[in-house]
């Protein structure tokens, strides 16, 4: 998951734009940082002359330009109409985050990306909008909009990935579902959502780097990579279950913390939708696991030429230990 050296300047300016947005004392400075971040990510999408990459870059540019124009036009109204301006900026940030009901563009863009870009779009590109979102959550009306968007994101992310056979689209809907947990964590405390965001980022990094090594994009091709083997698929399966938040894997730790806090605050309705959506996402993670092991067996791979793998990659097991922290050191037991 390493970009060419010629593109490292774009990665540097991408991180610089994120830092400018986070540390800016004004909305104009935040807008400048978001623009720099967007214009740096587009060259990283279209590294190769490919129609799919170009289409994904164009879609991403149009959506981000729409949200950026909404931010800069709303900030002009802030002097006279503070509340209306805050609402429009809040909605523009939800559009940048691909939070429901503005999530329609995210799976389509993700389907045209390579795995390193999938990781960046799911994690780094969401950091600055989430920090800016936390600055606005002092108004009770915006707080209710955030809770409503989180519930919609949980349901949309869970139901959207059920019938998909494309791994990038499954990861996209999974990201929308995890975004619902992070939005509710933002409404509670900055520490909670940063902890959830970092845990999600490390788990997703291990998954996307493994898929990039295997060079698989479809569910059916997961077992036919030259590096596919039973140990690698077992580790990858455990990592997917950790991403779904199944105990006792690491992905369960931030969810367990969030569940306890929401129960203490009597937020039972959002918690019901979050837990229901988590069960549905675990279902399509399990479908990936079961399908990959079925296709790995030559007896069940009908009408497909099976070539047993003789190559072994030691880089895949090296990327997985973070997902087993919950087993080796059950940190979540301290939250009981």
């Amino acid at each position: 998951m390493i970009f060419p050296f010629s593109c490292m300047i774009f990665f540097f300016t991408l991180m610089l734009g994120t830092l400018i947005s986070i540390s800016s004392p004004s909305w104009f400075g935040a807008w400048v940082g978001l623009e720099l971040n967007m214009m740096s990510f587009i060259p990283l999408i279209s590294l190769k002359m490919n129609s799919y990459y170009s289409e994904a870059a164009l879609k991403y540019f149009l959506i981000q330009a729409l949200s950026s124009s909404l931010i800069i036009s709303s900030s002009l109204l802030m002097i006279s109409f503070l509340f209306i301006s805050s609402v429009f900026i809040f909605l523009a940030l939800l559009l940048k985050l691909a939070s429901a009901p503005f999530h329609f563009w995210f799976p389509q863009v993700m389907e045209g990306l390579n795995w390193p870009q999938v990781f960046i779009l799911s994690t780094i590109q969401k950091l600055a909008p989430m920090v800016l979102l936390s600055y606005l959550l002092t108004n009770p009306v915006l707080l209710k909009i955030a809770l409503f968007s989180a519930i919609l994101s949980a349901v949309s992310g869970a139901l959207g990935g059920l019938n998909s056979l494309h791994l990038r689209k499954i990861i996209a809907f999974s990201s929308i579902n995890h975004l619902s947990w992070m939005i509710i964590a933002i409404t509670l405390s900055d520490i909670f959502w940063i902890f959830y965001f970092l845990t999600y980022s490390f788990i997703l990094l291990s998954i996307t780097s493994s898929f990039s090594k295997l060079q698989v994009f479809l569910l059916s091709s997961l077992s036919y990579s030259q590096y596919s083997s039973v140990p690698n698929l077992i580790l990858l399966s455990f990592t997917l279950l950790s991403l779904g938040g199944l105990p006792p894997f690491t992905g369960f730790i931030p969810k367990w913390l969030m569940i306890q806090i929401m129960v203490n605050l009597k937020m039972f309705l959002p918690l019901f939708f979050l837990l229901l959506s988590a069960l549905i996402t675990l279902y399509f993670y399990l479908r990936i696991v079961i399908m990959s092991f079925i296709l790995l067996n030559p007896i069940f791979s009908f009408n497909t030429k099976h070539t047993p793998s003789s190559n072994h990659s030691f880089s895949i097991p090296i990327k997985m230990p973070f997902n087993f922290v919950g087993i080796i050191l059950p940190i979540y037991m301290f939250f009981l």
Side-chain angles (χ1 to χ4, degrees):
M1 291 187 61
I2 300 176
F3 292 101
F5 182 76
S6 59
C7 294
M8 292 307 293
I9 183 65
F10 294 113
F11 187 77
F12 172 75
T13 53
L14 183 144
M15 298 299 298
L16 180 63
T18 301
L19 292 176
I20 291 174
S21 295
I22 292 173
S23 58
S24 174
S26 65
W27 282 107
F28 180 76
W31 173 78
V32 170
L34 291 174
E35 288 295 298
L36 179 61
N37 180 276
M38 176 191 71
M39 298 307 295
S40 302
F41 185 57
I42 290 174
L44 295 178
I45 296 177
S46 52
L47 286 176
K48 300 178 182 178
M49 295 301 293
N50 188 301
S51 59
Y52 292 105
Y53 295 157
S54 301
E55 181 184 355
L58 181 60
K59 289 178 180 178
Y60 179 78
F61 172 75
L62 292 175
I63 292 296
Q64 297 299 314
L66 174 62
S67 58
S68 296
S69 61
L70 187 58
I71 289 175
I72 195 64
S73 59
S74 300
S75 61
L76 297 176
L77 301 173
M78 191 165 286
I79 298 176
S80 302
F81 307 99
L82 179 60
F83 175 72
I84 297 176
S85 175
S86 301
V87 170
F88 279 118
I89 293 176
F90 192 83
L91 295 178
L93 292 174
L94 291 181
L95 179 60
K96 277 187 172 293
L97 285 171
S99 178
F102 310 110
H103 65 285
F104 52 89
W105 63 272
F106 194 70
Q108 299 179 20
V109 172
M110 288 275 274
E111 203 170 4
L113 302 181
N114 208 347
W115 286 115
Q117 289 85 346
V118 166
F119 171 75
I120 293 176
L121 183 58
S122 300
T123 54
I124 300 175
Q125 293 301 96
K126 293 187 177 183
L127 182 59
M130 280 196 289
V131 173
L132 296 176
L133 204 70
S134 65
Y135 295 159
L136 291 171
L137 285 176
T138 55
N139 191 298
V141 176
L142 297 181
L143 193 64
K144 292 178 182 178
I145 295 175
L147 291 176
F148 178 71
S149 178
I151 292 173
L152 279 182
S153 298
V155 176
S156 303
L159 298 180
L162 282 177
N163 295 321
S164 179
L165 299 177
H166 298 268
L167 291 174
R168 286 170 294 187
K169 189 173 283 189
I170 290 174
I171 295 298
F173 284 109
S174 168
S175 179
I176 295 171
N177 181 264
H178 282 281
L179 182 63
S180 65
W181 290 83
M182 284 185 269
I183 288 177
I184 291 187
I186 289 173
T187 63
L188 301 177
S189 174
D190 289 338
I191 298 176
F192 297 147
W193 82 261
I194 291 173
F195 177 64
Y196 195 107
F197 178 80
L198 290 176
T199 306
Y200 170 72
S201 299
F202 281 117
I203 296 174
L204 188 65
L205 177 62
S206 62
I207 292 175
T208 52
S209 58
S210 300
F211 283 159
S212 180
K213 181 67 176 178
L214 295 173
Q215 280 300 302
V216 293
F217 299 98
L218 294 173
L219 191 59
S220 58
S221 62
L222 188 58
S223 300
Y224 297 104
S225 170
Q226 61 174 339
Y227 296 112
S228 293
S229 62
V230 174
N232 285 344
L233 285 179
I234 290 175
L235 289 174
L236 192 57
S237 302
F238 287 159
T239 305
L240 287 169
L241 295 178
S242 176
L243 184 65
L246 185 71
F249 298 106
T250 306
F252 174 69
I253 297 174
K255 287 191 175 181
W256 178 243
L257 182 61
M258 285 289 300
I259 289 169
Q260 280 204 319
I261 295 170
M262 292 176 72
V263 168
N264 292 335
L265 295 176
K266 296 182 172 31
M267 300 174 64
F268 298 116
L269 183 62
L271 181 60
F272 170 77
F273 285 101
L274 290 182
L275 292 179
L276 183 63
S277 64
L279 291 176
I280 298 175
T281 53
L282 274 175
Y283 165 75
F284 58 75
Y285 290 142
L286 282 172
R287 190 180 63 164
I288 298 175
V289 172
I290 295 171
M291 185 68 70
S292 61
F293 279 105
I294 288 176
L295 293 177
L296 192 65
N297 192 340
I299 299 174
F300 296 103
S301 55
F302 302 108
N303 301 322
T304 308
K305 185 178 179 181
H306 183 78
T307 56
S309 173
S310 57
N311 298 322
H312 298 283
S313 175
F314 296 101
S315 64
I316 294 179
I318 293 174
K319 302 165 185 173
M320 303 299 178
F322 178 77
N323 301 286
F324 302 103
V325 171
I327 298 177
I328 301 171
L329 181 65
I331 304 174
Y332 55 88
M333 295 298 293
F334 295 104
F335 300 126
L336 289 174

